[in-house]
Amino acid sequence: MNIIVCKSYDEMSQRAAQMVAAQIKSKPSSVIGLATGSTPEGLYAQLVEMCKNGELSFKDVTTVNLDEYYPINPTNDQSYRYFMNYHLFDHLDIDKANTNVPDGTAADPVAEAHRYEQKITDLGGIDLQILGIGRNGHIGFNEPDQKLMLDTHVTDLTPDTIDANSRFFASANDVPRQALTMGMGSIFKAKSIIIMATGANKKKAVSAMLERTVDTSFPATMLNFHPNVTLICTADVLE
Ligand code: GLP
């Protein structure tokens, strides 16, 4: 795993944006995997800036997001579709038809998970995947468990994740109990991966990942199997 330690959140966002921009410049029709959460907000602001400056174009880019709550309506401001439109897609020259987020309103979530996995396969996999990390070591919504799923699937959120994400909702009771998420295999279809982490509450999860062991109770440790992963983090995560 390559590790880039940054002095500030801004520097972390810039370094990640430079890597995304380099990917899109070298292959304008790239498939970029995207994450939600507060960690990549600065990265998305940088990409919007680059696009507004005319430095970067998303006209031929396709995006696939990692996950979405279930059930949730895209008009709900806590849905990941709403987050992506608000922070990124509404400000880029991207064709919205080429932005993919699992459908939190699907009547049959299992069928939706299959459709989403097939979509990733049909796109030929992901060129560059952006990941955050849950404080319990989850990636996407692959929660700590004895078994981890390979394909996109419906998952129950752990009490820890419901608690961590309740800060965005009126109360913990309003956090959906389930989600649709890419599996470990879907994520591993990415040719390269950037995992971003900032803040002392990510220390435990990141240090588990850097131990160079693999443990399904910290799903991010699986990234040690992938040949092309870059951790971009702020120094507080490693202190
Ligand atoms: C959520 C998302 C993850 C994200 C994680 C960390 O649960 N499903 O994809 O990486 O939380 O979020 P944050 O960056 O806000 O700490």
Side-chain angles (χ1 to χ4, degrees), residues 130-212:
I130 304 297
L131 295 176
I133 185 168
R135 66 187 188 188
N136 65 0
H138 73 226
I139 50 177
F141 271 129
N142 292 275
E143 294 279 41
D145 210 335
Q146 276 186 305
K147 284 185 190 172
L148 299 179
M149 304 288 282
L150 286 180
D151 297 336
T152 304
H153 58 283
V154 185
T155 188
D156 295 330
L157 302 186
T158 61
D160 187 73
T161 296
I162 292 168
D163 175 58
N165 292 5
S166 65
R167 67 190 195 277
F168 300 115
F169 290 82
S171 78
N173 282 336
D174 295 316
V175 183
R177 267 32 189 177
Q178 288 191 306
L180 284 154
T181 182
M182 281 190 201
M184 301 304 297
S186 342
I187 293 170
F188 269 64
K189 283 180 189 163
K191 295 183 186 76
S192 60
I193 295 176
I194 294 173
I195 181 159
M196 303 174 74
T198 184
N201 63 342
K202 300 295 170 69
K203 261 189 209 176
K204 201 171 155 201
V206 171
S207 61
M209 189 171 70
L210 295 180
E211 259 177 20
R212 292 183 56 75

Side-chain angles (χ1 to χ4, degrees), residues 210-225:
L210 295 180
E211 259 177 20
R212 292 183 56 75
T213 54
V214 171
D215 178 354
T216 60
S217 58
F218 278 98
T221 62
M222 295 288 155
L223 295 175
N224 284 307
F225 281 130

Side-chain angles (χ1 to χ4, degrees), residues 112-134:
E112 169 59 10
H114 290 316
R115 182 199 68 80
Y116 203 74
E117 187 66 31
Q118 189 57 48
K119 179 77 194 179
I120 297 168
T121 305
D122 293 347
L123 288 169
I126 298 160
D127 290 298
L128 172 62
Q129 174 70 51
I130 304 297
L131 295 176
I133 185 168

